[in-house]
Structure formats: structure tokens, C-alpha cells
Amino acid sequence: MIEVEEAARIIASTVLELPTIHVPLEKSLGRVLRQVVVADADFPPFNRVMMDGIAIRHKDFERGIRDFQILGIQAAGASQKELKGQGSCLEVMTGSIAPAGADAVVPYEEIVIDGKNKIAAVRTDDVRPGKHIHDKGSDKKAGDLLVQAGKLIGAPEIAVAASVGLIALKVTGNPSIAIVSTGEELVDIHEQPQAHQIRRSNVYALAAELKRFGIESAHYHLDDDKKNLTQKLEGILYAHDVIITSGGVSRGKFDFLPEAFEDLGVKKSFHRVKQKPGKPFWFGTKAPGKVVFAFPGNPVSTFLCFHKYFVPWLRKTLGMDRTSHVRAVLGADFEIKTGLTYFLQVKTHINENGQIVAKPNTGKGSGDHANLLSGDAFLELPGNTRVFKRGDVFNLISFRNS
Amino acid sequence: MIEVEEAARIIASTVLELPTIHVPLEKSLGRVLRQVVVADADFPPFNRVMMDGIAIRHKDFERGIRDFQILGIQAAGASQKELKGQGSCLEVMTGSIAPAGADAVVPYEEIVIDGKNKIAAVRTDDVRPGKHIHDKGSDKKAGDLLVQAGKLIGAPEIAVAASVGLIALKVTGNPSIAIVSTGEELVDIHEQPQAHQIRRSNVYALAAELKRFGIESAHYHLDDDKKNLTQKLEGILYAHDVIITSGGVSRGKFDFLPEAFEDLGVKKSFHRVKQKPGKPFWFGTKAPGKVVFAFPGNPVSTFLCFHKYFVPWLRKTLGMDRTSHVRAVLGADFEIKTGLTYFLQVKTHINENGQIVAKPNTGKGSGDHANLLSGDAFLELPGNTRVFKRGDVFNLISFRNS
């Protein structure tokens, strides 16, 4: 039996090599970038007008000119025009290129236009060189690094990639993941369970979690017959990079998974972790490139192990540049009986100080999915303490986004 | 020009009627539930063994019996067996039904088995009635409400729906959304912009954000010709429930959108909001069931308006039961010049007190998508104050999940 930190360390050292694939820009959301995005031109690419109004020469304004002759319009999307003689101006639109010779924009709000005589009278003293003009290259220069590899692609990354004309992006290919349930008491969800049976649910929970990462998984159910189970597992190991199992790793008479995996050449990294829930967790690898997460069958155990161990591993394997650690305040005194690291089910809220407060969400059925309904995270209470006080701060493992 | 709160209030009062649709359970992630989920049986449905070990009669233990005769195995998934005469036991597996007559489980860790004589010797004093048995119906009773309508469906909801045998769920159907860009300076992303042009990017940002809600949008680009634009908008209004536009709502000569919408019978609710960025925001509706969000064209303005106004509206329209308000601590002193509500670009982290700290992420290009790359939220600084101090707490509008 090993400590939680040791288990996490071993898992983190086991990273799969995944291929680089190209995806169309529109399909890149939620993927991990495997290339850099570089400015193909200056940002902005021209001196860009930032307000609707008139473009003038600041020198004219300095000379005391306040009434400017309107000689035309510089529309957005039109080629650059030129500001002619002294005291002239061009109407300019937001997004247009600043006319050649113009170095200040006065917004419509600060001028009065005499339409008949085409005169714009400036009604402000606050005209400065460059005002309301976003200078070419002032944000980024052509060649500047915009997005680094390893970034999780969100809307801003997609927008910036569009700006520089990338119609496809290099991203990390997803691993092939199998979710395997075991347990003779489990029946399919369309079946009516007998008195001693329940419906499968872990596989649905894990499949949904993987979908949040854009990963479609394959699903299998294995019987508690060691020979059959080993045979089927062999095929599953052959077909997939990552196997996540639930159940079959405790001390029961039919808990054959650890043995079966070892028979198939999967090397055990550890079995049993000093934690509650999820103590019987078994983890192993098989070269080249197979990883096995064998979680205990209790629904909350599987769910906790998935979020505590699998998700950080997946993020690292996908090449994400960072996983932020979230800390939260315990919202009520809590006591534990075991010397094991305790993953407390909690419901979080943000208080008026901007603090994340985690209230215990124990319930009678703390081992069942139904208890997760009213919660959104686990708070990690270290095993070296028994009494935890309201206001203490611990690591938070969230399983909801909103 | 109206206040931010007033704009938010008007938008919140404009909720679309959306249809209820059925989706297969596996496709329900991220949808909003339009039915209740009720326990179809007790949770757990039988007295469930929680540890591998032996099941005994507690009365026998009370009588002083410590060596129990093993008469068989109650496996998970097997029909219920019965505990026979005094001093007998059955081996039981996690997940199995507790044998009839047994009322306590002693885990393997607390017994010694003499395999030859089939005797299990109990090595603990801590045997109590019901120990390691999860009583039928102790979590939920048949008929109990498990999930309420209005819940955003996550992995726990899917798992629980699977448990009660729901192979499909009633959820809110998505609105049909059009994203419309305007601006003659914008070219397609596969084009090489001329000196006065830039590539379209707002539409990519918004489409990506909608995908995070599982919504595929339609995209259009309109020229700055009023007649053409009005004609095309008419078709777009006919085909979609929601129109999100970017650009064309300022004071420019070619900012025809407000007029065009009004010509087409879209009733203006407001034009211009006391905020920066995003001041020229126009919002209107057309009965029955059309809503128009006309955002300013500046990328960050569009992005901010989308998150500040559109996302809460969408969540409410989809029928979500709640939108949690997030507060965060300003991480550095900050001053604003205008009397407008200022949406400060920030990068958040969680400090050792579990507080969300928002550091200003201004940059030279605060209007461009590139500046959003290094941030993850906006902090809403009210317009009635100019000087904001490190440590003050404000509303946070996040645009990233991780």
C-alpha cells in the first residue's frame, strides 16, 4: 500500500507517446496545440482607425485650425486614401486604414458637421498625435510568437489562428481508451434488474467524463470467469492504448483483474493506495505504450480515482502545458476515523471574499453516484490528521465546470 | 445609453420558448434536463455487501462464537443464499446481496481462514449489526426524486439515469443561432489580406464558444451595402431564432444594422450601454421568438458582450436552474478614466487562502483577440468609482474552464 503522493508521482511518470494530427480549425476546440502560432503580419497590419469620425493632421490642429474641409470618406475595407491640403480632413470609419498624412482621429461625438458646406468643426481640445489610431504593429510584430505549443485550444486561440490564416492546426491525437466494467451483479441499462442485480453506471459516468475531453471511448463488460476475462482482456489490451477498469481489484474470490493483467504482461506499478475511497486501486503498464488504470468498483471510488489520477495523467499525456492546482476552504469542521487520505465529497460556492468554500456533502449513500448529484468536487484531507477545522485550506478536485 | 444592470435585466426578461427533445442517454452530456429522474427502485435495491469477507449472524458473535463454519459463497450477481445453522457463515463478495439471515460482515482483513477445515476465525471485537452492509433503501426509496428538471447534465446525472434504466432523456432543444459578421475590411481566413484588410476572426471565436454549449451555429458575412444587407438579414431572421452580429452598430457611415433590423420589424430594446468595452451594443426582439444581439465589431467588445450578456441569457433560455455568480479579488491597484462600467481583462489564479485572485491583463492590444490569449476572465469594475484597490472584490466573468 502506497501513499497518495507516491501513486500520483508514479502515474505522472508514465506518459504515453501520442501522434500529432491535423484538424480543421473549426474542430480544434478543446484539443492540445502541437505547434506554435506566429503572427504572419503586424498586429494590427495597418494604422487602424478606432473610432468613427474625421482624420486630420495634428499639425493643422496645433496651428489653430478647428474647421476642417471634408474631402471624402475613408471606409473600412477601402484602399488607403491620402489627406490633401492644409485644413482638410477625411471622414473615417472604425476598422479603416488611417489615410496617408493623417495622424489623429476626432470622433463624431466631438465634432459638428455642416453638411451643406462640408465642414467639420472640432469641439474638443483633446486632440493628440495618434489619438484613436491603433498603430501598425503596436500589439505584435510579424513573426512574433502568439500561442505556444501545449496550450489547450479555446475560443481566443481559434480566433487568433483565424487571424493569421491557419485553416488547420497540429494537435495531439487522442489515445484509444477502453472502459471495462466487471461484476456479475451488473446488468445492462435496458434490462430489469433481478433482486440481487443493479444496472451498470460507472461506464456511463466515465464515458461522459472522457467526452468532456472530446474523447470517444470503447466499452466492454467482463464476467467474473478468470479464463474468459483474461482472454477478452488480451484483445482489449491489443486494441487500445489505455484501459480503465472498474471493479475486480479487491480481495474478493472473483477479483481476478490484477492476476489477469500480470498474466498478460502488464507490469504492476502499485496495488492499493492509502486513501478513502479508492483504496484497492491497481495501476500497471505494458511496453510499448499501454497503461492500465484498474479502479475499484464502488461508483464514487471509480469517479474519485478518475479525477484524482486519470485526469492529470491525461492532461500531461496530451501535452498540456500546465494543470492548475485549486485550493479551497473547508466550510465546516470535519473529522475522519482512518489514517488514510480522505477525499471528502463537497459542494463549493464562492463567498463574498472571492474564496472558494467547500461544504461537506456526505450523505447516507456516499458510495453511490446519487450522492455526487448534489456535489461538485472532492476536498483532499491528508491522512496524518484526524480533525479538520472550518477555514482550513486543502486541495480541491472539481468534477463540474459550472 | 443605459446602465449595464439595466441592459442585463432587459435581456434576462427576453427568454425564448424552446422545444423539448429526446436524446439518447449517451448524447445528453451538457444538455439541460427537461424531466425529473426518479428512483425506479430502492437505492441500494438490496442489502448490499460492502466488503469482501464473511457474513454472519450478529447474535452468534454476541454469544461468543468466534470460529465460523464456512458453508459456501455468496457471489456478486448470484441469487440470495441463506445462512444456515448457528455458528455458520458464508463468504460474501463486495456488491453481492447479503445472505438471508446474515446481519453483519467481517472483512477478510479481520479473519483467519483455515481452508482445510473451512473455518473462519474472527480476529476483531468490532462486529456490529449491519456492519459493512449497505441497507436496502438507505440512500433513496423507490419513487424518490433524484434529479430535478433544469439541471445541466454532467457525468453524475448520466450515471444516475443509467442506474434507473433511462436510455433517453428529455432535454431542451437548442436554438438555431446565426453568427453574422459585417465590415468590408474583413476577408476570409484562407485569403491573403491586402494592406487595408484583416481576416475574419470574431465568427470563429463565437462559434467556438457556442460549441462549448454543444450548439452548432450558422455563419454569414454581410457587406456594407444597406439594401443588400437588409435583404440578406431578412432571410437570416427567417431562418434562425437568434442572430448574433458583430460590427455595424457604431456611428459610422456604413453602420446600417440598427436601421436594417428596425426596417425588418425587430424592435429595439436598447442601443448603447454605459460600459467599456462594448458601448455600442444594440439589442432587439421580434415576436414571435426572434432575438438579436448586435455586438460592436471590436473583437474584445464582441467577446465580452457574448460572455456578459449572451451566456447568461442562453443558460436561462435553455432552462438551467441557476447561474452561479463568481466573485474575485483584484490583484493589483487599478484606475479607470471613464465613468463607464469597465470590464478589465484579467488572468486569475487561486491563492493559498483559496481565494480567486484576478491580475490585470491589460496589454497594448486590449481590443484584439491576441490579448485574450494570456487571460481567462473579465473583472467587472463599476463605473461609479475611478480608483480600485488591490484586495477589493468584484464580479468575475470567466471565459475559460481550465
Side-chain angles (χ1 to χ4, degrees):
Chain A
M1 196 145 74
I2 65 172
E3 295 286 348
V4 166
E5 295 70 32
E6 177 71 358
R9 200 193 54 71
I10 290 169
I11 293 168
S13 70
T14 311
V15 169
L16 285 190
E17 297 272 333
L18 293 174
T20 296
I21 61 169
H22 284 78
V23 292
L25 183 60
E26 295 91 330
K27 304 224 178 246
S28 65
L29 183 74
R31 294 285 201 160
V32 177
L33 194 65
R34 279 257 179 114
Q35 65 172 76
V36 293
V37 176
V38 168
D40 69 327
D42 287 349
F43 273 43
F46 48 84
N47 292 334
R48 188 167 56 185
V49 171
M50 295 167 76
M51 293 289 281
D52 305 313
I54 56 168
I56 63 170
R57 244 180 242 98
H58 179 254
K59 217 194 298 176
D60 291 355
F61 182 82
E62 248 184 356
R63 281 191 182 116
I65 300 175
R66 292 294 177 272
D67 290 354
F68 290 82
Q69 186 74 41
I70 302 173
L71 295 184
I73 294 181
Q74 174 75 65
S79 310
Q80 191 182 35
K81 297 192 170 178
E82 202 188 335
L83 198 57
K84 303 286 180 186
Q86 186 174 304
S88 73
C89 70
L90 286 167
E91 286 186 78
V92 288
M93 301 301 132
T94 304
S96 70
I97 187 169
D103 61 357
V105 167
V106 190
Y108 281 131
E109 290 86 341
E110 299 174 357
I111 59 177
V112 174
I113 291 184
D114 167 358
K116 197 174 142 214
N117 297 307
K118 301 215 171 217
I119 299 290
V122 172
R123 292 281 186 264
T124 177
D125 294 329
D126 187 19
V127 175
R128 279 167 289 137
K131 191 149 195 210
H132 300 309
I133 295 174
H134 193 182
D135 280 350
K136 177 175 192 286
S138 59
D139 295 348
K140 304 282 177 189
K141 298 286 181 201
D144 276 0
L145 177 67
L146 301 176
V147 190
Q148 275 182 308
K151 190 97 182 192
L152 181 68
I153 299 171
E157 289 72 27
I158 289 178
V160 166
S163 302
V164 303
L166 291 172
I167 58 172
L169 292 175
K170 285 186 198 174
V171 301
T172 309
N174 286 333
S176 167
I177 301 182
I179 304 175
V180 179
S181 57
T182 68
E184 296 268 349
E185 74 276 24
L186 301 178
V187 300
D188 218 57
I189 72 165
H190 58 261
E191 289 180 60
Q192 186 54 46
Q194 294 181 51
H196 51 278
Q197 296 177 323
I198 56 173
R199 296 191 185 86
R200 251 187 287 293
S201 59
N202 275 335
V203 58
Y204 290 90
L206 298 186
E209 291 293 344
L210 288 173
K211 256 187 206 152
R212 289 171 56 185
F213 285 88
I215 297 176
E216 294 292 332
S217 48
H219 309 148
Y220 305 91
H221 183 76
L222 303 182
D223 292 335
D224 290 346
D225 172 278
K226 197 189 163 191
K227 202 182 144 198
N228 268 342
L229 178 142
T230 308
Q231 221 163 42
K232 283 194 185 162
L233 270 184
E234 188 172 16
I236 294 168
L237 261 172
Y238 184 80
H240 303 281
D241 306 319
V242 184
I243 324 289
I244 304 175
T245 65
S246 67
V249 290
S250 300
R251 292 178 193 270
K253 290 275 175 202
F254 309 103
D255 290 343
F256 298 127
L257 276 185
E259 264 179 79
F261 280 124
E262 291 182 59
D263 288 354
L264 293 168
V266 182
K267 199 171 158 289
K268 176 179 89 171
S269 300
F270 60 77
H271 189 188
R272 282 186 277 277
V273 181
K274 289 183 185 168
Q275 65 182 11
K276 189 176 176 179
K279 191 164 74 170
F281 176 22
W282 187 100
F283 179 79
T285 56
K286 181 179 182 174
K290 306 282 179 189
V291 184
V292 175
F293 292 82
F295 296 142
N298 173 296
V300 171
S301 301
T302 292
F303 199 73
L304 175 271
C305 285
F306 182 89
H307 284 279
K308 168 68 187 171
Y309 299 105
F310 180 81
V311 169
W313 174 86
L314 179 65
R315 293 165 71 105
K316 193 171 176 195
T317 289
L318 291 172
M320 280 179 61
D321 51 358
R322 58 176 188 88
T323 296
S324 53
H325 292 278
V326 176
R327 310 263 297 164
V329 178
L330 182 60
D333 293 351
F334 195 79
E335 213 164 309
I336 58 177
K337 289 178 198 131
T338 67
L340 307 172
T341 297
Y342 189 79
F343 291 96
L344 176 65
Q345 293 184 53
V346 295
K347 165 81 181 158
T348 63
H349 71 275
I350 292 165
N351 70 13
E352 280 305 300
N353 297 324
Q355 267 180 322
I356 306 173
V357 179
K359 287 244 166 105
N361 184 46
T362 53
K364 278 190 282 181
S366 60
D368 272 355
H369 284 130
N371 209 57
L372 297 171
L373 292 171
S374 47
D376 57 10
F378 295 94
L379 200 66
E380 183 172 345
L381 306 179
N384 52 10
T385 313
R386 301 291 164 98
V387 176
F388 301 91
K389 289 286 171 196
R390 182 164 178 265
D392 291 352
V393 181
F394 302 99
N395 287 335
L396 187 79
I397 300 152
S398 289
F399 57 80
R400 293 199 192 261
N401 284 334
S402 58
Chain B
M1 195 145 75
I2 64 171
E3 296 286 348
V4 167
E5 294 68 32
E6 178 69 358
R9 199 193 54 71
I10 291 170
I11 294 169
S13 69
T14 312
V15 168
L16 285 190
E17 296 271 334
L18 293 173
T20 296
I21 61 169
H22 283 79
V23 293
L25 183 60
E26 295 90 329
K27 305 227 179 248
S28 66
L29 184 74
R31 294 286 201 158
V32 176
L33 194 64
R34 279 255 179 118
Q35 65 170 80
V36 293
V37 176
V38 168
D40 69 326
D42 287 348
F43 272 42
F46 49 83
N47 292 333
R48 189 166 58 184
V49 171
M50 296 169 75
M51 293 289 280
D52 306 311
I54 57 168
I56 63 170
R57 244 179 240 97
H58 178 255
K59 215 193 301 176
D60 290 355
F61 182 83
E62 246 184 358
R63 280 188 184 121
I65 298 174
R66 291 297 177 270
D67 291 353
F68 290 82
Q69 186 73 41
I70 303 173
L71 295 184
I73 295 181
Q74 175 75 65
S79 310
Q80 189 181 35
K81 296 192 172 180
E82 202 188 334
L83 197 58
K84 302 289 181 184
Q86 184 174 306
S88 72
C89 72
L90 286 167
E91 285 185 79
V92 287
M93 302 302 132
T94 304
S96 70
I97 186 169
D103 62 357
V105 167
V106 189
Y108 281 131
E109 290 86 340
E110 299 174 357
I111 60 176
V112 173
I113 290 185
D114 168 357
K116 198 173 141 213
N117 296 308
K118 303 213 166 215
I119 299 290
V122 172
R123 291 282 187 264
T124 179
D125 292 329
D126 188 17
V127 175
R128 279 168 290 135
K131 190 148 199 213
H132 301 309
I133 295 175
H134 194 180
D135 280 349
K136 178 174 191 288
S138 59
D139 294 349
K140 304 282 177 189
K141 298 287 181 199
D144 276 0
L145 177 67
L146 300 176
V147 190
Q148 276 182 310
K151 189 99 185 192
L152 180 68
I153 299 171
E157 288 72 28
I158 290 178
V160 166
S163 301
V164 303
L166 291 171
I167 58 173
L169 292 175
K170 284 186 198 175
V171 301
T172 310
N174 286 334
S176 168
I177 302 182
I179 304 175
V180 179
S181 56
T182 67
E184 297 269 347
E185 74 276 25
L186 301 178
V187 299
D188 218 58
I189 71 165
H190 60 261
E191 287 180 61
Q192 186 56 44
Q194 294 180 53
H196 51 278
Q197 297 177 322
I198 57 173
R199 295 191 187 88
R200 251 187 286 294
S201 60
N202 274 336
V203 57
Y204 290 91
L206 298 186
E209 291 293 344
L210 287 173
K211 255 188 207 156
R212 289 172 53 185
F213 285 90
I215 298 176
E216 295 293 333
S217 48
H219 309 148
Y220 305 90
H221 183 75
L222 303 183
D223 291 335
D224 289 346
D225 172 277
K226 198 188 163 190
K227 199 180 145 199
N228 267 344
L229 179 143
T230 308
Q231 221 163 42
K232 281 196 186 160
L233 271 185
E234 188 172 15
I236 294 169
L237 261 172
Y238 185 79
H240 302 281
D241 307 317
V242 184
I243 324 290
I244 304 175
T245 64
S246 67
V249 289
S250 300
R251 294 178 192 273
K253 290 274 176 203
F254 310 103
D255 290 342
F256 298 127
L257 277 185
E259 264 180 79
F261 280 124
E262 291 182 57
D263 288 354
L264 293 168
V266 181
K267 196 172 160 289
K268 177 180 87 171
S269 300
F270 60 79
H271 189 189
R272 282 187 276 277
V273 181
K274 290 184 186 167
Q275 63 181 13
K276 193 180 175 177
K279 192 165 72 170
F281 174 25
W282 188 100
F283 178 80
T285 56
K286 180 177 180 172
K290 306 281 180 190
V291 184
V292 176
F293 293 82
F295 297 140
N298 171 296
V300 171
S301 300
T302 292
F303 199 73
L304 176 270
C305 286
F306 181 89
H307 284 280
K308 169 69 187 171
Y309 300 105
F310 180 81
V311 169
W313 175 86
L314 180 63
R315 293 165 71 106
K316 193 172 175 194
T317 289
L318 291 173
M320 278 179 63
D321 51 359
R322 58 175 187 89
T323 296
S324 52
H325 291 279
V326 176
R327 308 265 297 165
V329 177
L330 181 59
D333 293 351
F334 195 78
E335 212 163 310
I336 59 178
K337 286 173 202 138
T338 67
L340 307 172
T341 297
Y342 189 79
F343 291 95
L344 176 66
Q345 293 184 51
V346 295
K347 165 81 184 158
T348 64
H349 71 275
I350 292 164
N351 71 12
E352 281 304 301
N353 297 325
Q355 264 178 326
I356 306 174
V357 179
K359 287 239 166 107
N361 185 47
T362 54
K364 279 189 282 181
S366 60
D368 273 355
H369 284 129
N371 209 57
L372 298 171
L373 292 171
S374 47
D376 56 11
F378 295 94
L379 201 65
E380 184 172 345
L381 306 179
N384 52 11
T385 313
R386 300 291 163 99
V387 176
F388 300 91
K389 289 288 172 196
R390 180 167 179 263
D392 291 352
V393 181
F394 301 99
N395 287 336
L396 187 80
I397 299 153
S398 289
F399 57 81
R400 293 200 192 261
N401 283 334
S402 58

